């Protein structure tokens, strides 16, 4: 009913999102893809591994299986596997430069954001995930700390629950 849907849409994203699946930024794109395959993940967040020992690591970006398409040049029908040996953050930055609709580095919402507003942000950015950040700031970047991810699957689960 309408009241039930309204209540679901008012739910803060912090209660619906799940923990980040992470890998260090110094890994190659191929290693990051290997981690994704080994764990049956659709994407991996990459972190500044220099910050790992200092509490919550700094979130730098995201790689998804879709990014793998960047190794194929459709104009020349050439497969560029050498693109996979660069560090994951360089690979993803290059992919984002190629994509005219890409948002870089990533789309975020505050942990208190309602599901409705998160859906609106996902739709307007044409992304199937948004990263959830807390009020706590990263001492290095002075940016809010990314603590979780809300995916389109999480949204569907919340709406049909």
């Amino acid at each position: 009913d309408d009241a039930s849907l309204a209540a679901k849409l008012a739910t803060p994203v912090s209660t619906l999102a799940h923990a980040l699946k992470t890998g260090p930024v110094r890994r190659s794109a191929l290693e990051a893809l290997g981690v994704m395959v080994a764990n049956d993940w659709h994407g991996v967040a990459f972190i500044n591994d220099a910050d790992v020992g200092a509490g919550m690591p700094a979130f730098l970006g995201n790689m998804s299986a879709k990014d793998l398409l960047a190794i194929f040049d459709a104009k020349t029908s050439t497969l560029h596997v050498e693109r996979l040996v660069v560090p994951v953050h360089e690979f993803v930055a290059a992919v984002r430069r190629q994509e005219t609709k890409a948002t870089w580095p990533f789309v975020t919402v505050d942990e208190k954001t309602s599901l409705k507003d998160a859906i609106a942000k996902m739709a307007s950015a044409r992304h199937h995930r948004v990263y959830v950040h807390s009020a706590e700031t990263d001492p290095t970047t002075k940016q809010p700390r990314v603590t979780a991810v809300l995916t389109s699957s999480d949204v569907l689960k919340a709406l049909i629950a």
Side-chain angles (χ1 to χ4, degrees), residues 19-138:
L20 293 177
K21 297 169 181 171
T22 63
V25 73
R26 290 192 186 112
R27 285 191 173 177
S28 71
L30 186 60
E31 289 173 304
L33 288 166
V35 168
M36 289 168 50
V37 169
N39 292 287
D40 196 28
W41 295 346
H42 297 280
V44 64
F46 48 93
I47 57 172
N48 183 354
D49 30 358
D51 293 340
V52 171
M56 190 181 279
F59 176 77
L60 298 176
N62 168 84
M63 180 178 187
S64 69
K66 180 183 173 209
D67 295 323
L68 184 58
L69 297 175
I71 69 168
F72 182 72
D73 184 340
K75 292 178 186 172
T76 64
S77 295
T78 306
L79 193 62
H80 292 282
V81 292
E82 71 278 2
R83 294 178 180 169
L84 293 173
V85 298
V86 300
V88 66
H89 69 285
E90 290 179 23
F91 176 80
V92 172
V95 170
R96 300 299 180 263
R97 283 191 300 270
Q98 290 175 355
E99 294 179 11
T100 56
K101 293 183 275 183
T103 302
W104 178 255
F106 42 86
V107 178
T108 64
V109 294
D110 180 87
E111 63 191 356
K112 295 176 185 169
T113 300
S114 69
L115 178 59
K116 178 182 177 182
D117 290 342
I119 293 169
K121 193 158 190 178
M122 290 169 78
S124 67
R126 300 184 60 119
H127 277 239
H128 55 273
R129 74 175 56 87
V130 292
Y131 289 92
V132 180
H133 65 80
S134 66
E136 178 188 353
T137 57
D138 181 286

